[in-house]
Amino acid sequence: MCQHVSSFVRAGAQSAFDSLLPPRCPVCDAVTARDEGICPACWTAMPFIEQPWCARLGTPFSHDLGEGALSARAIADPPVYDRARAAALYQGTARDLVLSLKFGARRDVAGVMGQLMARNGRELLEPGSVLVPVPLHRFRLWQRRFNQAALLADAVSRASGVAMDPLALERIRRTRQQVGLSAKERQINVRRAFRVTDAGQGRLHGRNVILVDDVLTTGSTLAACTRVLRAAGVARVDVLTFAIADPVTNDL
Ligand SMILES: [Zn+2]
């Protein structure tokens, strides 16, 4: 009998066995009792962004400058999108979490990342708005098998009740990875890379869109998406990411 046990049954037994193992922290791999998997030490070390922050860029202020205050950077070089918000700075534990999601080791972390994004993005998450993840080109989607921005948008949608539309925007040109490129090179790299789909045109016209991605670095990808959304008649484009690269110390 034993040698005739089907692979189907063996696969079932394996997954049942996996569910009995204690969860491991996606950042440091320590065994943890928490369901969402992030151990208390890594949670404490997370570089969360807390208010007060710049009303435009969502970057933290060291002291309170009052409601609606703008950072010097937002005044000198305002982004094309309206407002950006993020849960954490892209360093340490937050960076490890982003990489853990992106490279597929731990897709389950999207849930807790989305909850943290919904918390810091609550000013953007109004009823009637639409969450739109930054799309991958279909070839890269085929290679990676999932889009981390779509996983995060889905998690934010579940945490906030705001609808998500993953098919409204598409990437029509394969682009080089942005890592290692200068700000100017990034802009050129993503130019004409996106388009609003025919179905998206009807669904997004006149709506407020919240673009979702894992990390905001120079913002060139999000700016390229913003331009095509505006051209399609979207009323307002805000940006919600899990992490934001520290504009002073990070030059990714
Ligand atoms: Zn840990």
Side-chain angles (χ1 to χ4, degrees):
M1 160 66 192
C2 277
Q3 70 244 49
H4 300 300
V5 171
S6 72
S7 59
F8 176 79
V9 172
R10 277 202 303 274
Q14 185 63 44
S15 69
F17 179 68
D18 285 347
S19 70
L20 296 175
L21 294 172
R24 286 185 175 272
C25 174
V27 180
C28 70
D29 206 37
V31 170
T32 172
R34 292 182 175 220
D35 280 348
E36 72 272 24
I38 300 170
C39 78
C42 288
W43 192 265
T44 306
M46 189 88 74
F48 289 116
I49 295 173
E50 302 288 353
Q51 284 181 302
W53 52 53
C54 168
R56 194 80 195 267
L57 300 176
T59 46
F61 287 139
S62 55
H63 55 280
D64 201 346
L65 301 172
E67 180 92 22
L70 297 175
S71 59
R73 189 161 179 259
I75 295 164
D77 186 19
V80 295
Y81 40 81
D82 293 272
R83 295 170 295 178
R85 295 291 182 270
L89 295 176
Y90 187 60
Q91 48 189 241
T93 301
R95 185 174 178 276
D96 292 342
L97 206 50
V98 166
L99 296 177
S100 183
L101 175 67
K102 193 170 200 155
F103 297 107
R106 290 292 298 263
R107 267 182 251 180
D108 58 320
V109 296
V112 70
M113 291 169 81
Q115 285 170 22
L116 296 169
M117 290 164 72
R119 186 183 73 127
N120 277 15
R122 58 190 174 276
E123 295 160 279
L124 319 181
L125 294 162
E126 295 167 348
S129 298
V130 193
L131 293 155
V132 174
V134 170
L136 288 180
H137 187 270
R138 64 181 188 282
F139 182 73
R140 188 158 286 150
L141 185 63
W142 174 77
Q143 278 182 318
R144 202 183 278 165
R145 297 198 301 278
F146 67 97
N147 175 4
Q148 74 279 5
L151 294 180
L152 293 173
D154 180 56
V156 173
S157 178
R158 278 185 279 120
S160 65
V162 170
M164 166 200 179
D165 193 337
L167 302 175
L169 193 61
E170 66 178 344
R171 195 183 287 245
I172 49 175
R173 212 161 61 78
R174 276 179 71 189
T175 49
R176 295 164 60 196
Q177 296 272 18
Q178 297 279 69
V179 175
L181 302 182
S182 70
K184 190 71 198 164
E185 287 169 332
R186 283 172 181 239
Q187 272 177 30
I188 294 166
N189 190 34
V190 294
R191 196 175 290 164
R192 291 187 292 277
F194 300 95
R195 95 176 179 99
V196 176
T197 61
D198 294 341
Q201 295 272 352
R203 292 200 295 262
L204 298 184
H205 193 272
R207 307 279 293 276
N208 292 335
V209 165
I210 304 156
L211 275 168
V212 176
D213 208 354
D214 52 356
V215 187
L216 172 63
T217 48
T218 63
S220 53
T221 298
L222 291 154
C225 292
T226 300
R227 288 193 182 95
V228 296
L229 288 168
R230 289 247 172 82
V234 166
R236 192 176 66 207
V237 183
D238 292 316
V239 164
L240 182 58
T241 60
F242 175 72
I244 188 166
D246 185 327
V248 180
T249 60
N250 288 57
D251 185 18
L252 296 164

